[in-house]
Amino acid sequence: MAAIIWIAVLIGLGGAALDRLVTGTIIRNFDAQLSIALPAMIAAAELDPFGDVRFNRQPVDPRFNEPYSGLYWQVAAQGHLPFRSRSLWDRELPANFAVSCVEPCTSRSTDFRNEPVRIVERDGIIPGSQVVWRFQVAQSTEQLDAQVRDVRRMLWLSLGVLGAGMLALAVLQATYGLMPLRRVSATMAAIRAGRMSRAPTDDVPPEIAPLVQELNALLDHNEQSAEAARMHAGNLAHALKTPMSVLTNEAAADSPDLAQAVVRELSTMRRHIDHHLARARAMGRRTSATARADVWPSLQRLMNAIERIYAEKGVVIDIAGDRSACFRGERQDLEELAGNLIDNAAKYGGGRVFVTVSQTESDPGFVSILVEDDGQGIPVKLRETMFERGARLDTGKPGTGLGLAIVRDVAAIYGGSVSLSESEDLGGLMVRLRLPSCPIGEKEG
């Protein structure tokens, strides 16, 4: 419907413009033909002994001498009888002397009954006279009006045929051109009803093949997300089942260590819940493809917060590297990832923490955050086990042992990674966090 209205509006506007242009051209040509006689009339005009105007040479067109022929001339002035062509017979052309016609004036008159005329007139002064004379030539518009009607009829007929063809094409396009999209819509309805799993890619026009591919990719993504959600729910249920069984058995046996068992098992359950909630939050925020976060301001906020937390220990955190680095993801996740690593370095290190931000050509599309401390480090054989939930080396300090596990899982959700090695400068542990970077020129917005 919108296409039909748009075509009709364009045809109407275009037709009006062409009608005005063509009819204007015809009328201007008509006026130009009439005005040819004016210079000859002015050149042939002279005064008779009584002060009235006369021609020393009559206009040559024989229609000027035929009564009511449709072609007329007249010379008039205020206070003088008009000098008229024989074709006017007992009529005279209207003359408005209040309007100056130093340059030719054109007008249309309907003073003659059943004969509208087109008038071209011009003022002139005859030698020996101070009177301004009005020289006029007029012609019936019967032929002009017929010509304009014919041109308009042909113009609008042509535009009507053109508009009908365009409307037919629009209807065909809406009926047959959009048929593949209707088939895709029916396919999506079948997928929603469970009769199909994916949209077929064969026998699909090239114009909508990318759409079908993207729809299938979206279905794959949703299926993977649903499977991941089921897996996480199953993992959480399995992880909580054992502590709950322990508590149930302790309570049924009326164990004297029930209170300690409750505290211990609830702590285990809390670790599992925190871990899965962190993953769920990251998965939910990961769906935003436009999320951007500047790395440097986030690290500065973390540095200020963690230095205040460990002020009694005298922790000093230094940040260096690329200040323009940008993370292609949510700022909350960036601060949770980096915050876990810096907090671990401050808690388990000797008091010095180096944080370095870098983007290298050897690893395009990623930003690296290196966190180093001056602690005792982690033996190589134990580094991989530190990513397991609840894994801790120093059990004498408070903590859940979930920091590195959460960092690994959330980084993997974004397509990044985390690895452990030895710090060459401080001698303790160095953690390398690798995350996707923003495209060139994009910043947090």
Side-chain angles (χ1 to χ4, degrees):
M1 181 58 69
I4 294 175
I5 295 174
W6 182 244
I7 291 173
V9 170
L10 289 182
I11 291 292
L13 293 177
L18 285 175
D19 181 277
R20 184 173 181 179
L21 175 64
V22 173
T23 56
T25 301
I26 294 174
I27 293 173
R28 283 193 298 272
N29 290 337
F30 186 85
D31 293 340
Q33 291 294 326
L34 275 180
S35 63
I36 291 176
L38 285 177
M41 290 171 58
I42 295 174
E46 60 182 20
L47 295 178
D48 64 8
F50 302 100
D52 292 323
V53 67
R54 291 291 181 270
F55 287 156
N56 54 31
R57 295 186 306 277
Q58 290 292 329
V60 297
D61 197 312
R63 288 178 294 174
F64 287 127
N65 297 319
E66 179 183 347
Y68 309 126
S69 65
L71 184 63
Y72 317 103
W73 59 259
Q74 176 177 290
V75 183
Q78 288 181 331
H80 294 265
L81 292 175
F83 178 41
R84 300 172 298 173
S85 66
R86 184 176 178 81
S87 57
L88 279 171
W89 198 247
D90 58 347
R91 302 177 299 186
E92 65 179 62
L93 297 174
N96 183 9
F97 297 108
V99 177
S100 175
C101 289
V102 177
E103 297 294 331
C105 301
T106 59
S107 62
R108 183 184 178 93
S109 173
T110 57
D111 288 2
F112 298 166
R113 187 170 57 180
N114 299 326
E115 189 185 17
V117 294
R118 186 81 176 173
I119 302 173
V120 179
E121 49 193 341
R122 184 176 181 180
D123 291 338
I125 298 177
I126 300 174
S129 174
Q130 299 299 320
V131 178
V132 177
W133 297 88
R134 178 68 55 85
F135 294 82
Q136 298 173 292
V137 180
Q139 185 173 348
S140 172
T141 61
E142 181 180 357
Q143 293 182 353
L144 173 64
D145 293 340
Q147 187 177 6
V148 169
R149 284 194 301 271
D150 291 341
V151 169
R152 281 178 172 168
R153 186 183 303 110
M154 182 59 66
L155 172 64
W156 287 105
L157 179 61
S158 301
L159 290 177
V161 172
L162 175 63
M166 295 179 67
L167 291 176
L169 181 61
V171 172
L172 287 174
Q173 182 180 12
T175 304
Y176 297 101
L178 299 181
M179 190 175 293
L181 290 179
R182 285 193 288 270
R183 289 202 300 266
V184 171
S185 177
T187 299
M188 299 308 296
I191 292 174
R192 187 174 62 252
R195 296 190 300 270
M196 300 177 65
S197 60
R198 293 293 183 273
T201 56
D202 55 336
D203 194 23
V204 174
E207 293 79 8
I208 66 170
L211 172 63
V212 174
Q213 294 171 359
E214 289 298 325
L215 287 175
N216 286 334
L218 178 61
L219 292 172
D220 291 338
H221 174 74
N222 289 340
E223 188 174 285
Q224 292 171 3
S225 299
E227 181 62 28
R230 286 193 296 268
M231 182 184 67
H232 293 157
N235 290 342
L236 178 59
H238 181 73
L240 296 179
K241 185 180 298 184
T242 299
M244 291 175 65
S245 299
V246 172
L247 291 177
T248 301
N249 294 334
E250 292 286 341
D254 196 16
S255 173
D257 298 329
L258 179 61
Q260 293 85 349
V262 168
V263 172
R264 182 181 68 253
E265 298 304 326
L266 285 180
S267 177
T268 301
M269 295 170 69
R270 187 185 67 178
R271 287 201 305 270
H272 291 303
I273 292 172
D274 289 344
H275 178 262
H276 284 278
L277 283 178
R279 287 180 58 90
R281 287 194 300 269
M283 287 291 293
R285 291 193 290 256
R286 180 67 180 90
T287 59
S288 175
T290 60
R292 303 291 184 268
D294 292 330
V295 175
W296 197 270
S298 295
L299 293 179
Q300 287 185 319
R301 284 192 293 269
L302 293 172
M303 177 189 70
N304 295 332
I306 293 175
E307 283 184 341
R308 285 195 298 269
I309 293 174
Y310 297 100
E312 294 183 359
K313 187 178 177 181
V315 171
V316 176
I317 303 173
D318 295 320
I319 305 176
D322 189 350
R323 292 174 175 264
S324 64
C326 176
F327 165 56
R328 182 159 53 87
E330 291 287 346
R331 180 172 55 84
Q332 297 93 322
D333 291 331
L334 171 64
E335 293 185 356
E336 182 172 10
L337 294 171
N340 268 309
L341 299 182
I342 298 175
D343 181 75
N344 284 342
K347 181 188 298 183
Y348 300 110
R352 295 295 307 276
V353 179
F354 285 174
V355 181
T356 307
V357 183
S358 64
Q359 295 183 98
T360 61
E361 295 182 356
S362 60
D363 192 19
F366 287 89
V367 56
S368 294
I369 301 175
L370 277 65
V371 180
E372 306 175 64
D373 62 59
D374 58 348
Q376 298 180 354
I378 299 176
V380 176
K381 61 181 180 179
L382 297 179
R383 287 174 185 172
E384 189 62 30
T385 62
M386 294 306 299
F387 291 107
E388 297 176 0
R389 292 192 294 272
R392 301 171 59 197
L393 287 182
D394 189 353
T395 57
K397 295 182 179 180
T400 62
L402 286 174
L404 288 179
I406 291 176
V407 171
R408 180 197 60 187
D409 290 348
V410 175
I413 290 173
Y414 279 100
S417 61
V418 61
S419 59
L420 307 180
S421 61
E422 184 178 351
S423 172
E424 295 181 358
D425 296 326
L426 299 181
L429 181 67
M430 181 177 73
V431 184
R432 180 186 298 272
L433 176 63
R434 181 174 171 270
L435 297 172
S437 62
C438 305
I440 297 176
E442 288 193 12
K443 300 292 284 182
E444 181 178 4

